[in-house]
Amino acid sequence: MNNPPSAVSLELRGVGRRFRTEAGELTVLDGADLVLRAGEIVALVAPSGTGKSTLLHLAGLLERPDTGEVFIAGQAAGTLGDDARTAIRRATIGFVYQFHHLLPEFSAVENIALPQMAAGIGQGEAETRARDLMARFGLAGREGHRPGKLSGGEQQRVAIARALANRPRVLLADEPTGNLDVGTSEVVFAELLQQVREQGVAALIATHNPALAARMDRTVTLAGGRVVTNPG
């Protein structure tokens, strides 16, 4: 386990999210609270349809809550304009999805360098950082390969490296190994945990796999639109 948690990197305070449907208004989140501290890795384990993706989207500033507030490193983000939210997202938050979403026309190292360059880092420095991350994930020698020439596990490693490239304070992952076979999933997940712990990132990782969840610091679930500690 990590040392005692320190600064709060992410806080959701009383967030609510509703959607309009043909059947009427659907409340997905209703007064949800969550605190993630630097260096803490939290598993989000909840049935499909309970709002996991919505929670991650709100935490990552991809959506705005209807009620409540999202704080990133102590800064309230709800009232900020789109440009300011985008800047915070680029500088502070990393995302990993079940499907890697790599750009097929670019090499592995370019896929990892591009988000850094979008954040204002020079190409040389960005590619150096990308190569270092690839080496850490056991991908040395694969830098020039495009995604189509990489295995599924290698592609997901590249996606994780891309999410960590800007040294985010917060990592949000939605079933990051759910599209991989069991053996590859174990290896990739172990590498993900190692790199997140080494960098002191606050991570919220949604997974259906109880064995993976057990390797994290604590587990939460969703019930009645709120975040609760998983009794399991």
Side-chain angles (χ1 to χ4, degrees), residues 16-178:
R17 190 76 172 97
R18 300 180 296 275
F19 297 94
R20 296 184 183 277
T21 70
E22 292 183 358
E25 190 172 80
L26 173 66
T27 298
V28 177
L29 296 174
D30 185 17
D33 298 311
L34 178 66
V35 172
L36 262 69
R37 299 180 182 275
E40 183 180 31
I41 304 175
V42 176
L44 174 59
V45 180
S48 298
T50 55
K52 284 189 300 182
S53 293
T54 298
L55 185 76
L56 289 169
H57 288 171
L58 292 174
L61 309 186
L62 295 172
E63 297 181 25
R64 294 179 186 267
D66 296 306
T67 57
E69 184 59 278
V70 178
F71 297 86
I72 305 294
Q75 180 178 9
T79 59
L80 297 177
D82 290 340
D83 289 346
R85 287 165 63 88
T86 297
I88 291 174
R89 193 162 55 243
R90 284 178 176 170
T92 312
I93 304 171
F95 296 90
V96 184
Y97 300 99
Q98 179 174 350
F99 299 95
H100 51 77
H101 299 300
L102 299 177
L103 299 174
E105 66 272 27
F106 292 100
S107 69
V109 75
E110 289 169 338
N111 266 278
I112 301 169
L114 284 171
Q116 301 175 71
M117 294 166 65
I121 297 173
Q123 182 177 352
E125 181 180 350
E127 291 190 354
T128 296
R129 167 74 169 158
R131 291 176 186 279
D132 175 66
L133 282 167
M134 289 191 70
R136 289 172 181 267
F137 279 103
L139 292 169
R142 310 292 278 172
E143 293 88 352
H145 289 65
R146 293 187 179 184
K149 298 295 184 181
L150 301 173
S151 69
E154 288 173 334
Q155 291 178 51
Q156 196 64 329
R157 285 185 179 95
V158 172
I160 294 168
R162 178 183 59 187
L164 294 172
N166 281 335
R167 296 180 172 86
R169 291 194 180 200
V170 178
L171 180 76
L172 303 171
D174 194 355
E175 300 287 348
T177 60

